[in-house]
Amino acid sequence: MPVIVRAAEQIAEEVEPGCRIASLLNPTSIGNDQIELTRFVLDAGAVYDLSLVAGAIGWLQLLSGSAEADGADGVLTMDLIVYLPLGHAGRITAGAGGAEVLLATVPDAARFDPDIASMPGGARTVDWTREPVLQSEHDARKRVYMATPGLTGTKAFKGEMISYPPGTAAPEHHHEGAEHFQYVIAGEGTALLDGVAHTLRAGDVLYNYEHERHAFFNESDGDFVFVEFFVPGACAT
C-alpha cells in the first residue's frame, strides 16, 4: 500500500540550536532503505553540519526562506536544486528570515548505479526553471526535468517538477523498476490510489512502491504542484 505522510503529522525535533528536523521517509515508515527524505527548519542564522553517510548521494531543495550550502553556487532559492555526491560534507546556513530545506538521500547508491564513483565530485547547483517545460503525451500536466543523468551525473535517481492546472488529470498508471515519492509544493489535488481517492495538500508526501496503480487530478481553482523523484532513475511506465 502507498504511504502518505501528512504535513500535520510531520514532527520536527530540535537537533541543534535553531535547527529542527522532521524525518518524512525512512526505513521505519516505508519498510526499506530505497530513499530517505528529511525536512530541515532553520532559524535565522542557524547552521547545520551535513555529512552524508558512506556510499550515499543526495540532493537539497529550498522550500522557503533563504540559505547557503557549502559547495553550492551562491544563495539557495526555490529555483535551484543542489546535487550532493559521494562523501559530501558541508554546512547549511539559514538567511535572515530562516529557511526550510528538503533533503533527500539514496543510501548505498552503487546498488542503483554501478558507476556511481564517476559522479562529478563536489556539490552541483542546477536552476531547474531553465530546463524545458514538457507537455505530457497523455494529459494536460506540465513537467520539468529536475534530475537526469545529464544534470546529475548518475542514473541512481531521476526527478521532475510537475504541475496540474485546474481541471486537469492524469490517467491511472504504474511504474516498473523503481519506487518514487511526491512532495507537494503548492495547491491541492487528489491522488487515486488503487481506486481510493486521497486529498493531498502542500507539505504532504506520497510514497508509491513498484507496480502500485495511481492517478492524479486537480479539481481546485489553483495549480497543484509537486516534485517527483524515482529511485533508481530507470523505470518503465
Side-chain angles (χ1 to χ4, degrees):
M1 291 292 292
V3 174
I4 298 177
V5 183
R6 300 292 184 185
E9 301 170 351
Q10 300 169 13
I11 301 175
E13 299 181 352
E14 188 169 50
V15 294
E16 295 180 9
C19 178
R20 297 172 298 284
I21 293 180
S23 178
L24 310 184
L25 300 176
N26 54 60
T28 299
S29 62
I30 64 175
N32 63 50
D33 64 347
Q34 195 106 335
I35 192 168
E36 296 186 10
L37 187 65
T38 306
R39 181 171 55 86
F40 293 82
V41 181
L42 304 175
D43 293 340
V47 177
Y48 180 75
D49 291 315
L50 171 64
S51 297
L52 299 185
V53 300
I57 60 174
W59 60 94
L60 290 172
Q61 182 178 358
L62 187 72
L63 297 174
S64 66
S66 64
E68 296 183 5
D70 288 352
D73 297 333
V75 177
L76 299 183
T77 71
M78 295 180 68
D79 293 343
L80 304 178
I81 186 167
V82 182
Y83 305 119
L84 309 176
L86 292 170
H88 176 82
R91 301 184 303 172
I92 303 174
T93 305
E100 187 177 8
V101 181
L102 196 65
L103 168 67
T105 58
V106 180
D108 189 16
R111 58 188 161 152
F112 303 121
D113 183 358
D115 299 320
I116 192 63
S118 64
M119 183 179 180
R124 185 178 183 186
T125 308
V126 171
D127 185 343
W128 62 266
T129 65
R130 296 187 177 184
E131 297 301 309
V133 177
L134 307 175
Q135 293 291 340
S136 176
E137 297 179 8
H138 307 292
D139 51 73
R141 60 182 165 161
K142 299 177 181 179
R143 302 161 49 232
V144 178
Y145 286 130
M146 301 180 72
T148 65
L151 292 173
T152 66
T154 178
K155 57 185 179 182
F157 64 89
K158 73 174 182 180
E160 302 176 357
M161 179 72 74
I162 298 181
S163 176
Y164 285 79
T168 60
E172 188 176 55
H173 61 283
H174 71 275
H175 304 284
E176 299 176 354
E179 299 182 1
H180 69 298
F181 75 85
Q182 292 92 8
Y183 182 94
V184 182
I185 298 295
E188 176 181 309
T190 300
L192 192 66
L193 308 174
D194 288 329
V196 180
H198 302 264
T199 300
L200 299 178
R201 299 181 176 88
D204 289 346
V205 181
L206 169 62
Y207 190 88
N208 278 289
Y209 299 95
E210 186 180 13
H211 300 297
E212 287 187 328
R213 296 179 296 115
H214 55 282
F216 297 98
F217 53 93
N218 180 7
E219 296 179 323
S220 73
D221 295 329
D223 287 352
F224 174 48
V225 184
F226 57 79
V227 293
E228 179 175 55
F229 282 91
F230 294 80
V231 177
C235 66
T237 300

